[in-house]
Amino acid sequence: MTDFSRAVRRLALVLPAALLAPQPLLAQDPAAPTPQYTTPEGGTPWIYEGSNVPRDEEWTFGELPNGLRYAVRKNGVPPDQVSVRVRIDAGSLHEEDSEQGYAHLLEHLLFRESKYLGPAEAIPTWQRLGATFGSDTNAETSPTHTVFKLDLPNTDTVKLAESMKLLSGMVREPVLTDANVRAEVPIVLAEKRERGGPAERAGNASREVLFAGQRLANRVPIGTEETLTGATGASVSAFHKRWYRPENVVVVAAGDMDPMQLAAEIERWFGDWQGEGPHVPAPDFGDPVAPAGADAANPVGEVGVIVEPDLPRSFTYAIMRPWRPVLDTVAYNEGLLRDALAQALINRRLESRARAGGSFLYAQVTQDDVSRSADMTFVNFAPLTEDWEAALADIRGVIADALATPPSQEEIDRELAEFEIIFKSQVEQRRVLPGPQLADDVVNAVDIREAIAAPETVLQVFNSMRATVTPELVLEHTRALFTGDVIRSAYVTPEADEASDTALRTALLETVDADAGARIAAQAISFDDLPPVGEPGQIRAQGPLGILDIEKVEFANGVKAILWSNDAEPGRVAVKVRFGAGFRAIEPDQSVYANLGYSALIGAGIGELGQEELDRLSTGRKFGFDFQTGDGAFTFYAQTREADLEEQLYLFAAKLAMPGWDPNPVLRAKAAGKLAYESYATNPGGILSRDLEYLLRDSDDRFLTPTPAMFDEATPEEFREVWEPLLMQGPVEVLVFGEFDMAETIEALRKTFGALKPRSAAPAEVLERPVSFPEGGETAVRYHRGDSNQAAAVIAWPSGAGVDNLRESRHLEVLASLFNNRLMDAMREHAGASYSPVVRSSWPSDVNSGGRIAALAQLRPEDVPVFFAEAEKIAQDLASAPVSEDEYNRVVEPLRQYVSRASTGNLFWLYQLEGSTVDDRRIDLLRFLLADYTRVPPADLQALAQKYFGSREGWRLAVIPEGQPLATATGGAQTASGR
């Protein structure tokens, strides 16, 4: 039974039919046989063998004579979609030494050519069927399995049959020639190169320590350059023949179709498949074994100090036990819940200690069954300074207390209330569980050799466990979590002389005193005891917005609300609050405080309530409190439920009316910012994360990533001086979309946001502050300190912003998709230079400047000129001639299906309508939405390309390794800068 703690949150509304005009791509419905091999009535489905977990009756399970197993289910979220997963029970742990990387290479090769798909036809074919490559059509390779994923929109029986046919051909009969292997290996090596760098090295080194003596120690899915370049058609075919057999395969399909039809198509296309040669059992993954001399008094085994100068400090130690298959019974799952409860209690204490300021930035205890290789209890933390020994001692002291003394009943009840709200929410939202997630749940259950359970069963098991849990039982499970065959540890540090293996081993063996100071005393806090926001406000106007059944309410203080009450998303309410002027209100010398606001503003509290008190208020409730700074507004966002909606609105309004200014979250955010800064320079992607927005906005200091020196100079007092007036600025717009009572919610708004004091507008010069685009010409250069074979390149053109030409922004999304397909083909398929080049169009609608179209890729330094040349050529080609009908359809059909599916959810409408109380033209423009994405003529797209690409060369950025000649990387004039 899997994923107890996952709260499923998806939507199931229906876009008005008049906005959709899907066109079938295939002409006739092939005959499909009736399924023959589903579980007979009264039989035990294969996934429940040995389990007494109540069966989820919505799934139908079957097993074919050739050994292939399947699971199918009717599901209408999103409407008209079918999600298919084909899981092969083979990953990197199944590879021989000479085959490292083959499982992942094979995943790639199945998309290159197969029985029913010619060379490089897979991606275009899925696009013609309406699936977007990378999101709807994808695959993954882990140490234990390979999974091929398809989310097929606008499905009918014809498209289903065609898709099952294509998938079967890919899995059963890929074309594994030397030529195809030679073509695909450079793409895999590009992916390997993009992943490389200090973080990858540290992860690999840590894994070698933690899994010493096991296959997992030195087998990662990406493989090695030596084994990949040595791959041939014959060697990869041998791996395929050995593991791609029906008895190693599970096919899962969940979607808006009769499950018997789904089962019939699986049987039709996979039923006659026979493996070649004898079945090969999976290799022994090995057990964690204590080294010679280790015993109960000295359980510490392998340890390792990993030095990476550009990475922040990170300490891990793990208590390890052998992994063994389990009987997935109700009793077993009750035990898992008690384990989870024990971890939650310790983690809350550790978080409390970190919040108060101390020796570590964060610390967490987790239990995980890792790749069917070990049952492990991890302790992970980040020391704030080089004194890692003090941090380790502090954390072990908190754990020692949990091992010595049972928790209080009040602590237990608090965590149980948190669990309960998750499980109850899953039950409430059962009928809107999304097909992709349902399919993935079965795949994950198969991977860990466990069953699946309906949300009602999960809640039932939780309630059964809850009735029996005692402090003494929690203590027993806590002690079991920290008992094992061996303890191993890895410490990543930037300083070579900071630690040694001997020091790590000594510190882990040192006796520590139990520290009860981190225990959180129970102290009930009630919303009834909190001060009101103000006098309840008066409603100035109320009426329909003019679309669907959405209401607009305006209060006397100027606050405006948009409300859509509907029952299509049971148990779910989305709340978004927009206020102030966003980045427009940030001064150029305030970027450090803009950055700190993301992580410290909410934690700074409300009135006299700090983060700990707010956590107590949230116990047993479903709250959220996300904060973002946008181009033209600041936003709070939350997913809540009707029962907690009034309190959620109070928290948001109180943050504006009576903000708290606890300095500790600011100090903690400063420490985190400083620790993270140096790691930006470890690879090209980090440099892009650090500098790209700043550079694309013409080096506007408001968008500067703060340096450690800037963090050092920042103070909690100045943090308050910056944010206090920003929280007081208007206008305020509240959006509430979901299942709630309209009258009660308006009354709650009247007592919260309607009770705010009238808010001042941002100064006119702030509202008119533009965002500039950098001049073209010379190539800007940034340097990274990572691997010498890594680089990145960006080319961008200015576009537009605002609501005036919002329809044109949608057309640009189509143009960017066309650009993206061509760039992918040029850089990945033809040159093998980049694994995942991407083109994005950004059109901020809250402000009137700052839009752009940008293409970027990570690649080798010598391929940077190739990228610039290819991107410029594509831009000019798009401007010089209209695209073909097929190329156009391969972009438009996935966009049509994306809009159709996205619009089945409340969030789609919320995002489309946010800001409409400031500019109501957004409402009128909604009626053109689907047409703007799917009916823009190719000639109009060509005209757009001429407008944005034809008038100027693109602005260029190259990110190259330190010490490399600029001309090698850019092939032209440059401006060099390294921060």
Side-chain angles (χ1 to χ4, degrees), residues 109-154:
L109 285 164
L110 265 61
F111 282 93
R112 177 160 289 280
E113 185 178 4
S114 56
K115 180 176 181 180
Y116 303 112
L117 291 165
E121 285 186 0
I123 294 174
T125 299
W126 295 121
Q127 288 175 334
R128 294 181 190 109
L129 290 168
T132 303
F133 178 68
S135 55
D136 299 327
T137 310
N138 213 330
E140 67 175 32
T141 303
S142 78
T144 53
H145 71 193
T146 306
V147 183
F148 298 90
K149 304 182 176 184
L150 172 64
D151 296 327
L152 189 67
N154 190 32

Side-chain angles (χ1 to χ4, degrees), residues 858-883:
Q858 296 192 55
L859 26 68
R860 296 171 299 188
E862 59 267 30
D863 288 326
V864 170
V866 177
F867 169 82
F868 286 142
E870 290 289 350
E872 284 280 13
K873 181 178 184 299
I874 292 168
Q876 296 311 310
D877 287 348
L878 289 169
S880 62
V883 298

Side-chain angles (χ1 to χ4, degrees), residues 226-462:
E226 179 183 5
T227 54
L228 290 170
T229 55
T232 65
S235 64
V236 177
S237 293
F239 184 89
H240 179 268
K241 177 180 177 180
R242 190 161 73 249
W243 300 116
Y244 278 60
R245 306 169 55 93
E247 59 267 39
N248 289 338
V249 174
V250 171
V251 181
V252 184
D256 201 0
M257 189 167 286
D258 182 349
M260 292 300 98
Q261 181 74 30
L262 299 174
E265 293 298 344
I266 294 170
E267 295 181 4
R268 178 185 185 189
W269 295 106
F270 291 91
D272 63 347
W273 184 15
Q274 297 297 323
E276 297 183 42
H279 173 73
V280 179
D284 185 352
F285 297 166
D287 288 335
V289 177
D295 53 31
N298 179 16
V300 178
E302 289 78 1
V303 298
V305 178
I306 300 146
V307 180
E308 285 290 349
D310 292 322
L311 291 184
R313 294 175 178 87
S314 175
F315 197 110
T316 298
Y317 72 91
I319 298 90
M320 305 181 68
R321 301 163 289 270
W323 178 87
R324 294 291 182 267
V326 298
L327 291 178
D328 191 15
T329 63
V330 169
Y332 166 73
N333 284 281
E334 289 177 348
L336 289 181
L337 282 168
R338 295 186 193 103
D339 289 346
L341 177 60
Q343 295 165 62
L345 288 161
I346 296 174
N347 287 332
R348 191 179 292 277
R349 296 175 187 177
L350 291 171
E351 174 63 12
S352 177
R353 176 62 58 84
R355 284 175 177 170
S359 56
F360 55 93
L361 180 65
Y362 68 84
Q364 188 173 40
V365 172
T366 56
Q367 184 279 330
D368 192 12
D369 293 339
V370 182
S371 299
R372 303 203 302 271
S373 297
D375 171 7
M376 306 174 69
T377 302
F378 290 95
V379 181
N380 298 292
F381 65 93
L384 277 173
T385 70
E386 68 278 0
D387 192 359
W388 59 269
E389 291 162 299
L392 176 62
D394 287 347
I395 290 162
R396 291 185 64 217
V398 173
I399 295 171
D401 177 57
L403 293 170
T405 308
S408 68
Q409 189 61 50
E410 290 81 5
E411 284 184 292
I412 292 173
D413 290 343
R414 181 177 181 181
E415 302 306 332
L416 290 175
E418 295 291 284
F419 284 20
E420 182 180 36
I421 191 65
I422 293 173
F423 301 143
K424 282 186 174 180
S425 294
Q426 290 177 331
V427 172
E428 291 171 349
Q429 298 171 27
R430 174 178 180 124
R431 70 180 176 88
V432 291
L433 297 178
Q437 183 59 61
L438 291 168
D440 289 339
D441 284 347
V442 174
V443 167
N444 293 333
V446 173
D447 189 49
I448 63 175
R449 307 304 198 245
E450 295 184 6
I452 58 169
E456 292 83 357
T457 298
V458 176
L459 181 60
Q460 178 183 354
V461 172
F462 167 74

Side-chain angles (χ1 to χ4, degrees), residues 524-833:
I525 301 176
S526 169
F527 275 94
D528 294 337
D529 299 329
L530 301 182
V533 174
E535 288 295 324
Q538 299 301 311
I539 297 174
R540 177 182 295 165
Q542 179 179 347
L545 188 68
I547 183 170
L548 302 173
D549 296 320
I550 300 174
E551 286 280 306
K552 178 180 177 182
V553 180
E554 182 176 352
F555 295 93
N557 62 356
V559 172
K560 298 176 182 179
I562 299 175
L563 313 174
W564 189 18
S565 173
N566 61 77
D567 61 0
E569 302 179 35
R572 192 175 189 200
V573 183
V575 182
K576 191 167 192 177
V577 178
R578 293 163 49 90
F579 66 94
F583 269 112
R584 293 177 297 176
I586 302 293
E587 297 298 328
D589 62 350
Q590 294 175 341
S591 63
V592 65
Y593 294 107
N595 181 283
L596 290 171
Y598 290 118
S599 49
L601 188 65
I602 304 307
I606 293 172
E608 299 301 317
L609 303 179
Q611 189 62 56
E612 174 57 32
E613 290 77 18
L614 291 176
D615 280 355
R616 288 187 206 140
L617 274 174
S618 70
T619 300
R621 293 181 168 94
K622 187 176 181 181
F623 288 151
F625 216 138
D626 295 336
F627 171 73
Q628 293 291 328
T629 300
D631 290 294
F634 303 106
T635 60
F636 298 145
Y637 177 75
Q639 287 283 355
T640 184
R641 57 178 188 154
E642 183 176 13
D644 302 321
L645 177 56
E646 182 174 357
E647 286 83 4
Q648 179 73 70
L649 292 171
Y650 174 87
L651 291 176
F652 282 165
K655 187 64 185 178
L656 299 180
M658 51 185 108
W661 301 106
D662 182 354
N664 282 330
V666 179
L667 297 175
R668 190 181 185 190
K670 285 178 53 177
K674 289 178 61 178
L675 290 175
Y677 189 83
E678 291 304 319
S679 65
Y680 287 128
T682 60
N683 56 59
I687 296 293
L688 293 179
S689 297
R690 188 190 73 185
D691 292 349
L692 184 57
E693 284 300 312
Y694 169 72
L695 294 172
L696 281 173
R697 297 168 189 258
D698 200 20
S699 301
D700 187 329
D701 282 344
R702 291 175 294 165
F703 303 94
L704 179 69
T705 299
T707 64
M710 295 169 69
F711 283 119
D712 283 336
E713 294 175 2
T715 66
E717 293 75 22
E718 288 191 19
F719 179 85
R720 177 174 182 172
E721 289 178 14
V722 169
W723 280 106
E724 194 164 30
L726 295 179
L727 290 173
M728 297 172 64
Q729 287 181 355
V732 177
E733 176 184 85
V734 185
L735 301 103
V736 184
F737 283 48
E739 184 183 42
F740 59 88
D741 181 273
M742 180 69 75
E744 291 179 1
T745 300
I746 292 175
E747 179 62 19
L749 284 167
R750 200 174 69 84
K751 293 187 294 185
T752 54
F753 284 92
L756 292 172
K757 295 178 181 179
R759 301 167 63 79
S760 60
E765 61 270 19
V766 166
L767 297 177
E768 297 170 2
R769 183 177 284 162
V771 174
S772 300
F773 189 86
E775 292 295 327
E778 295 183 337
T779 299
V781 178
R782 287 290 192 270
Y783 297 97
H784 70 86
R785 296 193 294 269
D787 293 352
S788 62
N789 64 350
Q790 293 180 323
V794 179
I795 185 168
W797 295 263
S799 61
V803 179
D804 287 346
N805 286 324
L806 194 59
R807 295 188 65 190
E808 185 168 281
S809 76
R810 299 165 184 165
H811 298 167
L812 280 178
E813 293 284 352
V814 182
L815 183 64
S817 295
L818 289 164
F819 200 147
N820 193 88
N821 278 0
R822 290 192 181 186
L823 188 64
M824 177 77 74
D825 188 58
M827 297 302 296
R828 176 174 172 164
E829 292 297 330
H830 289 174

